[in-house]
Each structure stands twice: as C-alpha cells, then as structure tokens.
Short mmCIF file of all heavy atoms in Angstrom, two decimals:
data_model
loop_
_atom_site.label_atom_id
_atom_site.label_comp_id
_atom_site.label_asym_id
_atom_site.label_seq_id
_atom_site.Cartn_x
_atom_site.Cartn_y
_atom_site.Cartn_z
N ILE M 1 11.31 -7.04 1.43
CA ILE M 1 11.09 -6.70 0.00
C ILE M 1 11.99 -5.48 -0.28
O ILE M 1 12.50 -4.83 0.56
CB ILE M 1 9.61 -6.41 -0.26
CG1 ILE M 1 9.03 -5.33 0.63
CG2 ILE M 1 8.75 -7.64 -0.18
CD1 ILE M 1 7.59 -4.90 0.35
N SER M 2 12.06 -5.21 -1.58
CA SER M 2 12.97 -4.12 -1.98
C SER M 2 12.34 -2.77 -1.58
O SER M 2 11.14 -2.67 -1.29
CB SER M 2 13.13 -4.16 -3.47
OG SER M 2 11.94 -3.80 -4.17
N ALA M 3 13.19 -1.72 -1.60
CA ALA M 3 12.72 -0.40 -1.21
C ALA M 3 11.65 0.14 -2.16
O ALA M 3 10.72 0.77 -1.75
CB ALA M 3 13.92 0.56 -1.20
N ALA M 4 11.81 -0.17 -3.45
CA ALA M 4 10.80 0.27 -4.42
C ALA M 4 9.43 -0.43 -4.12
O ALA M 4 8.43 0.22 -4.24
CB ALA M 4 11.23 -0.07 -5.84
N GLU M 5 9.43 -1.71 -3.78
CA GLU M 5 8.21 -2.39 -3.44
C GLU M 5 7.59 -1.83 -2.21
O GLU M 5 6.37 -1.67 -2.10
CB GLU M 5 8.48 -3.88 -3.33
CG GLU M 5 8.72 -4.63 -4.59
CD GLU M 5 9.10 -6.09 -4.41
OE1 GLU M 5 9.99 -6.34 -3.55
OE2 GLU M 5 8.41 -6.97 -5.02
N LYS M 6 8.42 -1.52 -1.21
CA LYS M 6 7.93 -0.97 0.02
C LYS M 6 7.26 0.41 -0.27
O LYS M 6 6.16 0.66 0.24
CB LYS M 6 9.04 -0.74 1.05
CG LYS M 6 9.58 -2.03 1.65
CD LYS M 6 10.66 -1.75 2.65
CE LYS M 6 11.15 -3.10 3.19
NZ LYS M 6 12.15 -2.91 4.25
N LEU M 7 7.91 1.25 -1.09
CA LEU M 7 7.36 2.53 -1.41
C LEU M 7 6.00 2.35 -2.18
O LEU M 7 5.02 3.05 -1.90
CB LEU M 7 8.29 3.33 -2.20
CG LEU M 7 7.87 4.71 -2.62
CD1 LEU M 7 7.65 5.61 -1.36
CD2 LEU M 7 8.90 5.37 -3.52
N LEU M 8 5.96 1.43 -3.07
CA LEU M 8 4.75 1.18 -3.83
C LEU M 8 3.62 0.73 -2.92
O LEU M 8 2.50 1.23 -3.03
CB LEU M 8 4.97 0.16 -4.92
CG LEU M 8 3.77 -0.29 -5.77
CD1 LEU M 8 3.30 0.91 -6.59
CD2 LEU M 8 4.07 -1.48 -6.62
N TRP M 9 3.90 -0.19 -2.01
CA TRP M 9 2.86 -0.70 -1.09
C TRP M 9 2.46 0.41 -0.11
O TRP M 9 1.26 0.52 0.24
CB TRP M 9 3.31 -1.94 -0.36
CG TRP M 9 3.14 -3.17 -1.14
CD1 TRP M 9 4.08 -4.03 -1.57
CD2 TRP M 9 1.83 -3.67 -1.58
NE1 TRP M 9 3.49 -5.01 -2.29
CE2 TRP M 9 2.13 -4.87 -2.30
CE3 TRP M 9 0.56 -3.32 -1.42
CZ2 TRP M 9 1.14 -5.65 -2.86
CZ3 TRP M 9 -0.46 -4.07 -1.98
CH2 TRP M 9 -0.14 -5.24 -2.71
N LEU M 10 3.37 1.28 0.25
CA LEU M 10 2.96 2.38 1.18
C LEU M 10 2.05 3.34 0.45
O LEU M 10 1.03 3.81 0.99
CB LEU M 10 4.21 3.13 1.69
CG LEU M 10 5.05 2.39 2.74
CD1 LEU M 10 6.36 3.15 3.00
CD2 LEU M 10 4.26 2.21 3.99
N VAL M 11 2.34 3.64 -0.80
CA VAL M 11 1.47 4.52 -1.61
C VAL M 11 0.13 3.89 -1.77
O VAL M 11 -0.95 4.53 -1.60
CB VAL M 11 2.12 4.87 -2.96
CG1 VAL M 11 1.14 5.56 -3.93
CG2 VAL M 11 3.38 5.72 -2.72
N VAL M 12 0.07 2.61 -2.13
CA VAL M 12 -1.19 1.95 -2.33
C VAL M 12 -1.99 1.92 -1.06
O VAL M 12 -3.20 2.19 -1.04
CB VAL M 12 -1.00 0.45 -2.83
CG1 VAL M 12 -2.21 -0.38 -2.77
CG2 VAL M 12 -0.45 0.49 -4.24
N THR M 13 -1.34 1.64 0.03
CA THR M 13 -2.00 1.54 1.35
C THR M 13 -2.64 2.89 1.78
O THR M 13 -3.76 2.94 2.24
CB THR M 13 -1.02 1.07 2.42
OG1 THR M 13 -0.54 -0.19 2.06
CG2 THR M 13 -1.69 0.97 3.76
N TRP M 14 -1.91 3.97 1.61
CA TRP M 14 -2.36 5.24 2.07
C TRP M 14 -3.23 6.02 1.10
O TRP M 14 -4.07 6.75 1.50
CB TRP M 14 -1.20 6.08 2.54
CG TRP M 14 -0.65 5.63 3.86
CD1 TRP M 14 0.37 4.77 4.04
CD2 TRP M 14 -1.19 5.92 5.18
NE1 TRP M 14 0.51 4.51 5.40
CE2 TRP M 14 -0.42 5.23 6.09
CE3 TRP M 14 -2.24 6.70 5.63
CZ2 TRP M 14 -0.60 5.24 7.46
CZ3 TRP M 14 -2.42 6.77 7.01
CH2 TRP M 14 -1.65 6.06 7.87
N VAL M 15 -2.98 5.82 -0.25
CA VAL M 15 -3.83 6.54 -1.22
C VAL M 15 -5.18 5.82 -1.33
O VAL M 15 -6.24 6.51 -1.39
CB VAL M 15 -3.08 6.63 -2.57
CG1 VAL M 15 -4.04 7.15 -3.69
CG2 VAL M 15 -1.86 7.51 -2.41
N PHE M 16 -5.19 4.57 -1.43
CA PHE M 16 -6.42 3.79 -1.58
C PHE M 16 -6.79 3.26 -0.15
O PHE M 16 -6.85 2.07 0.08
CB PHE M 16 -6.26 2.63 -2.56
CG PHE M 16 -5.83 3.07 -3.91
CD1 PHE M 16 -4.53 2.86 -4.37
CD2 PHE M 16 -6.72 3.72 -4.77
CE1 PHE M 16 -4.14 3.29 -5.63
CE2 PHE M 16 -6.34 4.17 -6.02
CZ PHE M 16 -5.05 3.92 -6.45
N TRP M 17 -7.10 4.26 0.69
CA TRP M 17 -7.32 3.95 2.13
C TRP M 17 -8.37 2.93 2.44
O TRP M 17 -8.23 2.17 3.40
CB TRP M 17 -7.50 5.21 2.91
CG TRP M 17 -8.69 6.04 2.52
CD1 TRP M 17 -8.80 6.98 1.62
CD2 TRP M 17 -10.03 5.83 3.03
NE1 TRP M 17 -10.03 7.44 1.54
CE2 TRP M 17 -10.82 6.78 2.39
CE3 TRP M 17 -10.59 5.01 4.04
CZ2 TRP M 17 -12.22 6.92 2.67
CZ3 TRP M 17 -11.96 5.17 4.28
CH2 TRP M 17 -12.70 6.09 3.65
N PRO M 18 -9.50 2.86 1.68
CA PRO M 18 -10.48 1.80 2.10
C PRO M 18 -10.05 0.40 1.85
O PRO M 18 -10.36 -0.52 2.58
CB PRO M 18 -11.72 2.16 1.26
CG PRO M 18 -11.49 3.47 0.68
CD PRO M 18 -10.06 3.71 0.63
N ILE M 19 -9.25 0.15 0.80
CA ILE M 19 -8.87 -1.21 0.45
C ILE M 19 -7.38 -1.46 0.42
O ILE M 19 -6.98 -2.61 0.33
CB ILE M 19 -9.49 -1.60 -0.93
CG1 ILE M 19 -8.91 -0.70 -2.04
CG2 ILE M 19 -10.97 -1.63 -0.94
CD1 ILE M 19 -9.27 -1.16 -3.44
N GLY M 20 -6.56 -0.44 0.57
CA GLY M 20 -5.13 -0.60 0.49
C GLY M 20 -4.57 -1.61 1.48
O GLY M 20 -3.80 -2.48 1.12
N PRO M 21 -4.84 -1.47 2.81
CA PRO M 21 -4.32 -2.43 3.72
C PRO M 21 -4.78 -3.90 3.46
O PRO M 21 -4.00 -4.84 3.58
CB PRO M 21 -4.85 -1.98 5.09
CG PRO M 21 -5.11 -0.55 4.91
CD PRO M 21 -5.55 -0.38 3.47
N PHE M 22 -6.02 -4.07 2.97
CA PHE M 22 -6.48 -5.39 2.68
C PHE M 22 -5.76 -5.95 1.48
O PHE M 22 -5.46 -7.19 1.44
CB PHE M 22 -7.99 -5.35 2.43
CG PHE M 22 -8.81 -4.97 3.63
CD1 PHE M 22 -9.56 -3.80 3.64
CD2 PHE M 22 -8.81 -5.75 4.80
CE1 PHE M 22 -10.27 -3.44 4.73
CE2 PHE M 22 -9.55 -5.35 5.87
CZ PHE M 22 -10.24 -4.18 5.89
N LEU M 23 -5.50 -5.12 0.49
CA LEU M 23 -4.75 -5.58 -0.70
C LEU M 23 -3.35 -6.00 -0.30
O LEU M 23 -2.88 -7.07 -0.77
CB LEU M 23 -4.66 -4.46 -1.72
CG LEU M 23 -5.95 -4.12 -2.48
CD1 LEU M 23 -5.71 -2.96 -3.43
CD2 LEU M 23 -6.42 -5.33 -3.31
N TYR M 24 -2.73 -5.27 0.57
CA TYR M 24 -1.37 -5.68 1.01
C TYR M 24 -1.41 -6.98 1.77
O TYR M 24 -0.61 -7.84 1.54
CB TYR M 24 -0.76 -4.54 1.86
CG TYR M 24 0.57 -5.03 2.47
CD1 TYR M 24 1.68 -5.12 1.64
CD2 TYR M 24 0.68 -5.40 3.76
CE1 TYR M 24 2.89 -5.56 2.12
CE2 TYR M 24 1.88 -5.85 4.30
CZ TYR M 24 3.00 -5.92 3.48
OH TYR M 24 4.23 -6.42 3.99
#
C-alpha cells in the first residue's frame, strides 16, 4: 500500500490500541 496508507494504519493501530490491530 502507499506510504500515506501505511502511516494512517500505523497511527490507527497504535493510537486505538484495543481495536486498531483488529480493524487493520
């Protein structure tokens, strides 16, 4: 995926820690 999408998913994963990995 693009670098912007990677950054967005990394932020979602680490900021919303209880559900971020599941969302990804």
Side-chain angles (χ1 to χ4, degrees):
I1 55 177
S2 70
E5 288 176 307
K6 287 181 184 184
L7 182 62
L8 177 67
W9 277 116
L10 287 172
V11 169
V12 167
T13 300
W14 286 94
V15 170
F16 301 107
W17 61 270
I19 60 170
F22 297 115
L23 287 175
Y24 174 72

